């Protein structure tokens, strides 16, 4: 029986819950600590036997107690648009205080070289982890295919996806595949000191995404490419906060230069199976 104590931060988030589901396939529930900002949102996890501890990225005093006795920690990056670096630093410092001997961090694809502004805080977090001396593995996740599909209802209504990625290729993968990779590095040996560039087996352009939606839905959907500034305006007009809209438009512009493309096959090898395909995820999103 595995007596290691595992912890997942942001455990009630979309990725966190998938990581926990994957861990539960092989790890007893009472060996998994769900670190959450709001324990009330984790009642279902508590009912399944997980240990629930309050740990708020923005309240450093909650973090070291939440990590007490933890031997393998997954730090899921904060969803804050800006200012997440102090939050990450607080978790890393708390892990050091609690004597956590292994940490995995969900970074961004090619964070060390990416021109996207979103990569900056990930790159800085990686540097803080290295300076901390905590044995660690860096999981550089590519884009989530599900993020592209957030625009699916609007695309079906108006007949178009919009963006600023031109013909850039996205090696976007399913959130479930990234969760499986995180579970693998937590539950197996040989990952300390490694940095994994995680991306889907097959890349696609936004034009190809639109074409697949058209094929499967039976409705004509195209991709309209905009300038970065015009795409930012569309996003703010849709109600996104200005700073988030600017970062997403910048990421699309970076993607036009293949900043979110990778064909190394690391994710497939790490999880031991092919990654979910874009067409299969579109079909799921369409209810097919």
């Amino acid at each position: 029986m595995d007596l290691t104590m595992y912890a997942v931060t942001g455990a009630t988030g979309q990725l966190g819950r998938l990581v926990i589901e994957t861990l539960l396939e092989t790890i007893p529930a009472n060996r998994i600590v769900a670190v959450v900002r709001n324990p009330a949102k984790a009642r279902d996890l508590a009912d399944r036997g997980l240990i629930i501890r309050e740990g708020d990225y923005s309240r450093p005093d909650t973090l070291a107690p939440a990590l007490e006795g933890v031997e393998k920690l997954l730090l899921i990056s904060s969803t804050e648009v800006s200012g997440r670096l102090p939050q990450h630093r607080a978790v890393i410092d708390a892990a050091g205080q609690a004597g956590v001997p292994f940490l995995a961090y969900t970074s961004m694809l090619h964070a060390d070289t990416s021109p996207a502004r979103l990569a900056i805080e990930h790159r800085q977090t990686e540097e803080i982890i290295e300076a901390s001396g905590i044995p660690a593995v860096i999981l550089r996740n590519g884009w989530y295919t599900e993020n592209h599909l957030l625009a699916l209802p609007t695309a079906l209504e108006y007949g178009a996806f919009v963006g600023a990625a031109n013909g850039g290729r996205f090696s976007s993968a399913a959130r479930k595949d990234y969760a499986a990779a995180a579970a693998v590095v937590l539950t197996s040996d040989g990952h300390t000191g490694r940095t994994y560039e995680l991306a889907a087996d097959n890349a696609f352009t936004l034009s190809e995404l639109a074409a697949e939606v058209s094929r499967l839905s039976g409705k004509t959907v195209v991709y309209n490419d905009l300038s970065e500034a015009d795409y930012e305006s569309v996003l703010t007009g849709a109600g996104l906060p200005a700073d988030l809209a600017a970062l997403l438009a910048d990421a699309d512009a970076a993607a036009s230069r293949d900043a979110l493309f990778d064909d190394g096959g690391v994710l497939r090898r790490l999880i031991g199976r092919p990654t979910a395909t874009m067409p299969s995820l579109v079909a799921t999103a369409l209810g097919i």
Side-chain angles (χ1 to χ4, degrees):
M1 178 181 292
D2 188 351
L3 297 179
T4 302
M5 187 68 77
Y6 299 85
V8 178
T9 69
T12 54
Q14 291 175 301
L15 180 60
R17 283 187 174 275
L18 286 173
V19 173
I20 285 173
E21 290 299 330
T22 308
L23 289 174
L24 284 171
E25 294 174 6
T26 56
I27 304 300
N30 64 0
R31 307 305 300 177
I32 303 173
V33 177
V35 180
V36 297
R37 181 173 57 186
N38 183 358
K41 293 184 177 180
R43 286 173 183 159
D44 61 312
L45 298 177
D47 290 343
R48 297 173 68 182
L50 277 77
I51 300 167
I52 310 301
R53 294 180 183 171
E54 181 181 10
D56 189 331
Y57 291 170
S58 298
R59 294 170 54 213
D61 59 300
T62 66
L63 295 170
L67 301 180
E68 186 67 33
V70 168
E71 295 161 278
K72 292 193 174 183
L73 168 65
L74 175 64
L75 168 55
I76 294 179
S77 56
S78 169
T79 57
E80 294 287 337
V81 177
S82 59
R84 67 175 119 186
L85 186 64
Q87 296 180 330
H88 293 167
R89 186 190 301 275
V91 179
I92 296 161
D93 288 347
Q97 293 171 30
V100 175
F102 179 84
L103 181 153
Y105 171 65
T106 60
S107 186
M108 180 177 174
L109 189 67
H110 302 304
D112 56 335
T113 59
S114 176
R117 285 168 51 200
L118 276 170
I120 295 172
E121 287 183 306
H122 287 295
R123 184 161 57 243
Q124 293 170 330
T125 300
E126 291 183 14
E127 293 169 355
I128 292 170
I129 291 171
E130 183 175 5
S132 76
I134 300 172
V137 59
I138 305 299
L139 302 171
R140 288 183 176 162
N141 291 353
W143 232 228
Y144 298 146
T145 305
E146 291 90 344
N147 288 350
H148 296 289
L149 297 176
L150 289 173
L152 182 59
T154 303
L156 290 171
E157 180 178 358
Y158 294 102
F161 285 95
V162 296
N166 200 340
R169 295 168 292 174
F170 290 83
S171 298
S172 304
R175 189 176 279 110
K176 188 173 182 178
D177 288 342
Y178 293 123
V184 166
V185 301
L186 289 175
T187 58
S188 59
D189 297 327
H191 306 289
T192 300
R194 303 288 297 275
T195 295
Y196 293 117
E197 305 288 353
L198 301 180
D201 295 343
N202 299 300
F204 56 87
T205 67
L206 295 184
S207 292
E208 289 168 341
L209 172 64
E212 190 61 29
V213 170
S214 292
R215 185 181 74 83
L216 290 173
S217 69
K219 298 180 179 181
T220 300
V221 177
V222 300
Y223 169 60
N224 290 334
D225 193 62
L226 308 175
S227 69
E228 181 180 343
D230 286 346
Y231 183 42
E232 182 179 339
S233 295
V234 168
L235 293 174
T236 54
L240 269 65
D243 51 356
L244 176 58
L247 281 173
L248 292 178
D250 171 81
D252 247 36
S256 72
R257 304 189 293 277
D258 280 349
L260 291 168
F261 170 77
D262 184 274
D263 61 356
V266 175
L267 180 55
R268 177 185 68 250
R269 293 193 296 273
L270 195 57
I271 64 179
R273 58 171 171 76
T275 60
T277 66
M278 179 267 284
S280 72
L281 295 170
V282 170
T284 298
L286 290 170
I288 299 173

